[in-house]
Amino acid sequence: MEFQRARRPEQVEQRRRAILETACAMLRERSVAEISLRELSDRVGLAKSNVLRYFDSREAIFLEVLDRELGAWLDEVEESLGSLGPGGSVGGAEAVARAVAATLLGRPLLCELISGMAGVLERNIPVDFARVFKRRANERKTRLANLVRSRVPVLDEAAARHFAASVLVMTAGLWPHARPTDAVAQVMRELGGPTAGELVREGLTEGLVNQLVGLVVRARPARA
């Protein structure tokens, strides 16, 4: 960026984009809880006060990244599910759940942000920003529910939304285990069990399969 102060709209957008891209780069190195606003500002090359001219807080920066990552992921989910035929069978539901899990696990940055959303990122945002973010998050969840329902039409709207919420909850609960400390990783190797990555991958995939298949089985008698 060749300008000192962003005055024109395109300069403001350029600076916001630089901040978000820097946040993404730092998330590839460490967890969101370990990144301070000072470190982020230093990496961007701005004072903290200047960064806060473009975003309300450190948390707001990462929530903006989260929203963008969710949008990109849902585009991928739509493409992935597009190759699956609609159907209410158990096999069809399992294929949908596995596709959702596979696309999500392929985006570790998104998983990291989901895991920190409720416990870290939503703890320091004003009500106006919270209102905007939660509205957009709800729209993302509704889109996921609609995508799943288009391939598993036996589900009603409430069941599809329940599954969409479960995707986020399971990811938030499992993903922190994907980055064990060196001591924990060593003990896991000594015990001869699966690696942390394998445990998270299997846990999320099987958890989503069981969730969606269960919803399909429960929906059948109600529609008989």
Side-chain angles (χ1 to χ4, degrees):
M1 293 174 287
E2 298 178 355
F3 49 88
Q4 292 296 315
R5 175 170 294 185
R7 301 181 184 278
R8 299 194 299 270
E10 62 271 20
Q11 292 176 332
V12 171
E13 180 56 30
Q14 184 179 348
R15 186 148 283 173
R16 283 175 56 87
R17 187 166 58 249
I19 294 169
L20 294 174
E21 290 173 355
T22 300
C24 289
M26 296 183 74
L27 281 169
R28 296 186 180 96
E29 302 168 1
R30 65 185 96 168
S31 69
V32 64
E34 297 173 325
I35 303 173
S36 69
L37 179 59
R38 179 177 297 279
E39 290 177 301
L40 177 58
S41 302
D42 289 345
R43 184 79 71 92
V44 176
L46 295 172
K48 286 199 304 181
S49 59
N50 284 341
V51 171
L52 293 175
R53 292 180 58 215
Y54 304 100
F55 295 94
D56 291 332
S57 63
R58 178 191 80 103
E59 290 75 13
I61 295 170
F62 289 111
L63 287 173
E64 182 70 27
V65 175
L66 171 58
D67 181 66
R68 294 187 179 199
E69 287 293 314
L70 280 172
W73 170 60
L74 289 171
D75 290 341
E76 184 180 356
V77 170
E78 183 170 8
E79 183 178 353
S80 181
L81 295 186
S83 62
L84 303 176
S89 67
V90 168
E94 180 174 348
V96 169
R98 288 187 180 278
V100 171
T103 55
L104 186 53
L105 289 165
R107 292 176 172 270
L109 188 152
L110 174 59
C111 293
E112 171 64 27
L113 288 167
I114 290 174
S115 73
M117 181 170 67
V120 177
L121 297 179
E122 293 183 345
R123 297 298 177 182
N124 185 34
I125 54 175
V127 64
D128 288 343
F129 181 83
R131 188 175 291 116
V132 172
F133 171 74
K134 297 303 284 186
R135 184 180 297 116
R136 288 191 295 178
N138 189 60
E139 291 170 355
R140 302 297 193 193
K141 186 166 62 176
T142 298
R143 183 184 174 192
L144 176 58
N146 290 339
L147 288 173
V148 171
R149 196 178 180 197
S150 70
R151 290 294 175 255
V152 190
V154 69
L155 299 181
D156 59 19
E157 182 178 348
R161 287 187 62 83
H162 178 82
F163 176 75
S166 297
V167 173
L168 301 178
V169 171
M170 288 186 192
T171 303
L174 285 167
W175 189 255
H177 298 283
R179 289 182 171 180
T181 62
D182 291 341
V184 171
Q186 178 181 329
V187 172
M188 292 176 69
R189 288 193 298 270
E190 292 172 357
L191 293 174
T195 65
E198 291 169 341
L199 285 173
V200 171
R201 181 165 59 252
E202 180 180 357
L204 184 60
T205 302
E206 292 304 310
L208 293 183
V209 167
N210 292 337
Q211 182 73 221
L212 191 55
V213 168
L215 288 169
V216 168
V217 171
R218 290 181 63 183
R220 282 174 168 176
R223 292 175 175 270

